[in-house]
Amino acid sequence: AANYPFYGSHQAGIVTPAQDRLHFAAFDMAGDAGRAELIELLQDWTVAAAAMTAGRDIGDFGAVSGNYDAPPEDTGEAQGLPESGLTITFGFGPALFRDAQGADRFGIAGRQPALLSRLPHFPGDMLDPASSDGELCIQACADDPQVAVHAIRNLTRIAFGRATLRWSQLGFGRTSSTSTAQATPRNLFGFKDGTANVKAEETATVNEQVWVQGGDGPAWLAGGSYLVARRIRMTIETWDRTILREQEAVFGRTKGEGAPLSGGTEFTEPDFEITGRGEKPLIADTAHVRLSHPSHNGGAALLRRGYNFVDGNDELGRLNAGLFFLSYQRSPEQFVTVQSQLAKNDALNEYIRHVGSALFAVPAGVRQGGYVGEALFA
Ligand code: HEM
């Protein structure tokens, strides 16, 4: 089973080959917690995350070796399971720096990145506060859902009294590849997703589009990234009654191979100029790949790392299904640029609804003996 080191110059879980399963959680600090509690929490989370990603129980005595008359330190459901490629990635939301009343509870308001604020409202957004925002986030990815859930459960338990769970999302079936070694998976519309994603091997592009650089400011975030989370409902019943021609036109790619409608195979670059009958472009003006392509967005690209979800059904008997969109970028402006194009003109909008939104600053990696986000408090 895969195993990724927790310590390093960047946090794992970003350019790491996307695992199959996700448990994502957003937290708010307790009302009476201050700077000392926040730092202690990040220290405790760091130690526990390092243990779990190495396949160990948390705490000194783990799940079954501790005091017989005390609750076990580790909840125990990952005993005997391999690491399963577990990565645990931490981020800081805008409200951590300044709360709704403008208060600087943790003494870090002066260090809030200028670009870290709630994302703007996009046309069509129907955001539910119950699946939006948060002061802290943890993304746990693994190839075994039990391993990802164990991680979030134990980190939530460690936070008890200091931070509470605000919302969380389970994901199955990655909807992107982040390495050229991976086969392209499919989303719940049945299309290959992740073909033209930024890939770990493209180091120049990763540096230019994903990692915050030294000069970008603030200094504590260098080597980190910005994480956008969007919970996107898919009206799959409507989609499933849509003819294949329309389905392909919506994306601008074929459903089988994932090739651009301008011709070629999956990894052929789309040609947005080629026209067909009636001088119409083969990739429609409203096609998702045209509007999201860097050539349409001043060169902006995103490292997408989303997951499918099916959370039971809604009160009308429709599957509560969709795509939990996650993207990492050097600046939130990259996402805002692309989503502004999509929100206005994307043919896909007839079949989707954005219902949750959050933005986090993801600090650089952790050095051995340090803790996540340490530079923010130095
Ligand atoms: C490409 C699906 C939402 C950004 C694609 C592709 C598919 C797809 C099938 C083509 C294959 C690929 O290159 O990965 C979806 C679905 C969505 C969704 C089903 C919602 C439920 C979004 C959002 C954004 C986005 C919200 C960003 C704001 C992109 C980008 C590309 C892409 C940047 C690559 C374009 C290129 O360089 O060719 N998406 N997408 N997508 N999508 Fe989405």
Side-chain angles (χ1 to χ4, degrees):
N3 152 335
Y4 302 110
F6 178 75
Y7 297 102
S9 53
H10 303 292
Q11 286 197 68
I14 302 174
V15 296
T16 308
Q19 301 93 326
D20 288 334
R21 305 295 183 126
L22 168 82
H23 193 177
F24 189 95
F27 298 83
D28 287 331
M29 291 296 291
D32 58 355
R35 185 180 173 98
E37 284 78 21
L38 174 58
I39 291 174
E40 275 167 27
L41 174 61
L42 294 171
Q43 289 169 334
D44 293 350
W45 272 355
T46 297
V47 171
M52 290 189 285
T53 51
R56 297 198 308 271
D57 284 357
I58 64 162
D60 295 330
F61 301 102
V64 292
S65 308
N67 183 344
Y68 208 45
D69 291 313
E73 289 172 303
D74 188 291
T75 56
E77 73 273 25
Q79 290 178 94
L81 298 177
E83 302 91 311
S84 309
L86 176 67
T87 57
I88 300 173
T89 316
F90 297 91
F92 303 144
L96 188 68
F97 294 82
R98 214 182 281 276
D99 68 17
Q101 284 73 44
D104 178 13
R105 290 167 50 207
F106 309 109
I108 52 177
R111 295 187 158 209
Q112 179 167 4
L115 295 166
L116 184 70
S117 56
R118 293 187 72 208
L119 291 168
H121 175 88
F122 298 100
D125 275 3
M126 291 193 68
L127 305 183
D128 179 356
S131 52
S132 297
D133 303 322
E135 296 180 356
L136 298 157
C137 78
I138 306 177
Q139 171 198 279
C141 297
D143 293 323
D144 181 334
Q146 180 120 338
V147 169
V149 168
H150 171 262
I152 294 296
R153 175 180 175 189
N154 281 272
L155 295 170
T156 305
R157 183 163 178 255
I158 288 172
F160 183 80
R162 296 183 281 186
T164 51
L165 195 58
R166 179 184 172 95
W167 56 273
S168 97
Q169 179 69 55
L170 288 171
F172 68 92
R174 60 188 169 91
T175 58
S176 64
S177 310
T178 54
S179 163
T180 51
Q182 292 182 292
T184 315
R186 289 179 189 270
N187 59 41
L188 293 179
F189 284 153
F191 275 73
K192 286 191 188 173
D193 204 335
T195 301
N197 203 13
V198 173
K199 307 270 163 76
E201 293 80 3
E202 301 160 2
T203 43
T205 310
V206 169
N207 280 322
E208 191 190 313
Q209 304 273 359
V210 181
W211 303 129
V212 174
Q213 302 294 313
D216 294 354
W220 68 264
L221 191 55
S225 190
Y226 288 90
L227 167 59
V228 168
R230 303 281 288 184
R231 183 176 149 91
I232 308 176
R233 243 330 257 284
M234 290 169 154
T235 50
I236 55 176
E237 290 79 5
T238 313
W239 178 261
D240 293 344
R241 277 185 231 107
T242 303
I243 62 169
L244 182 57
R245 183 192 306 277
E246 155 83 356
Q247 292 189 358
E248 294 195 343
V250 163
F251 287 108
R253 287 185 177 271
T254 62
K255 194 169 185 176
E257 155 101 24
L261 293 184
S262 50
T265 54
E266 183 187 351
F267 294 101
T268 309
E269 260 299 301
D271 183 332
F272 299 115
E273 307 299 324
I274 298 189
T275 53
R277 269 192 301 157
E279 298 303 299
K280 286 222 181 81
L282 289 176
I283 299 178
D285 290 335
T286 56
H288 183 72
V289 292
R290 176 189 291 270
L291 296 169
S292 60
H293 194 272
S295 65
H296 200 86
N297 292 286
L302 316 171
L303 187 145
R304 290 170 285 141
R305 219 177 183 288
Y307 287 83
N308 298 319
F309 69 83
V310 178
D311 295 340
N313 57 277
D314 67 15
E315 65 287 359
L316 297 179
R318 296 175 301 206
L319 282 182
N320 185 352
L323 192 153
F324 186 64
F325 177 94
L326 294 171
S327 71
Y328 287 89
Q329 46 272 304
R330 178 176 171 183
S331 162
E333 286 169 328
Q334 289 157 249
F335 174 83
V336 172
T337 299
V338 178
Q339 179 55 19
S340 300
Q341 289 298 325
L342 296 180
K344 256 190 294 176
N345 296 318
D346 193 355
L348 191 55
N349 292 335
E350 209 172 320
Y351 307 98
I352 63 172
R353 204 44 107 213
H354 288 236
V355 295
S357 176
L359 176 67
F360 302 95
V362 172
V366 186
R367 57 171 182 84
Q368 209 100 32
Y371 64 93
V372 68
E374 189 170 4
L376 172 57
F377 303 93

